[in-house]
């Protein structure tokens, strides 16, 4: 069982930056991937980025490539999402997730993940 909690959300102006954190606790040995997703009102949940926790290979949605960076700190059991050049379309509740059991498909597909945090709100004003 893995527990996840996000932090670092807030309100920023367009063009600004935020760094989100996802702290993991419990049994994390089988957490091969950590992912960031977001859900905005009127839109479906969508993938943002994910990282293979062993190889540290990263994957990004086209909408955030070049602006967002996912990274991890194994000593702290924490995954980060550094967001830059934020715009209004980035406004959403951001969730982190991990694949507690093996799953098929793309690592950018929410179906790939089984454990989720409660989310943190990001609001970008113009």
């Amino acid at each position: 069982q893995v527990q996840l909690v996000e932090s670092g959300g807030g309100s920023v102006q367009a063009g600004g930056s935020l760094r989100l954190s996802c702290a993991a606790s419990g049994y994390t040995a089988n957490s091969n991937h950590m992912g960031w997703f977001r859900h905005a009102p009127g839109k479906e949940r969508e993938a943002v980025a994910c990282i293979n926790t062993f190889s540290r290979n990263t994957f990004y949605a086209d909408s955030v490539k070049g602006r967002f960076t996912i990274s991890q700190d194994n000593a702290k059991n924490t995954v980060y999402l550094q967001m830059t050049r934020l715009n209004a379309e980035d406004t959403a509740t951001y969730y982190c997730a991990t694949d507690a059991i093996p799953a098929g498909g793309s690592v950018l597909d929410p179906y790939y993940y089984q454990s989720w945090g409660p989310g943190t709100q990001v609001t970008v004003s113009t």
Side-chain angles (χ1 to χ4, degrees):
Q1 185 69 243
V2 179
Q3 294 79 46
L4 306 174
V5 59
E6 305 91 341
S7 62
S11 299
V12 298
Q13 295 183 351
S17 301
L18 281 175
R19 188 181 74 162
L20 305 183
S21 299
C22 176
S25 60
Y27 187 70
T28 60
N30 296 125
S31 296
N32 295 311
H33 297 87
M34 296 290 293
W36 284 99
F37 298 81
R38 64 189 182 187
H39 187 199
K43 301 178 66 176
E44 295 184 349
R45 179 179 56 180
E46 64 176 349
V48 176
C50 75
I51 185 169
N52 182 302
T53 61
F54 296 99
S55 69
R56 302 205 178 192
N57 288 340
T58 57
F59 308 86
Y60 296 92
D62 289 342
S63 60
V64 305
K65 286 181 179 178
R67 299 191 299 120
F68 292 7
T69 302
I70 187 171
S71 61
Q72 67 183 54
D73 185 337
N74 286 348
K76 297 181 178 180
N77 286 324
T78 300
V79 174
Y80 303 96
L81 183 68
Q82 179 66 53
M83 306 184 294
T84 64
R85 289 176 284 158
L86 288 162
N87 57 61
E89 294 186 348
D90 296 318
T91 295
T93 301
Y94 283 71
Y95 302 88
C96 67
T98 189
D99 54 334
I101 61 175
S106 172
V107 295
L108 292 175
D109 189 336
Y111 180 79
Y112 196 90
Y113 301 88
Q114 296 82 45
S115 298
W116 295 79
T120 185
Q121 179 66 36
V122 172
T123 301
V124 183
S125 61
T126 60

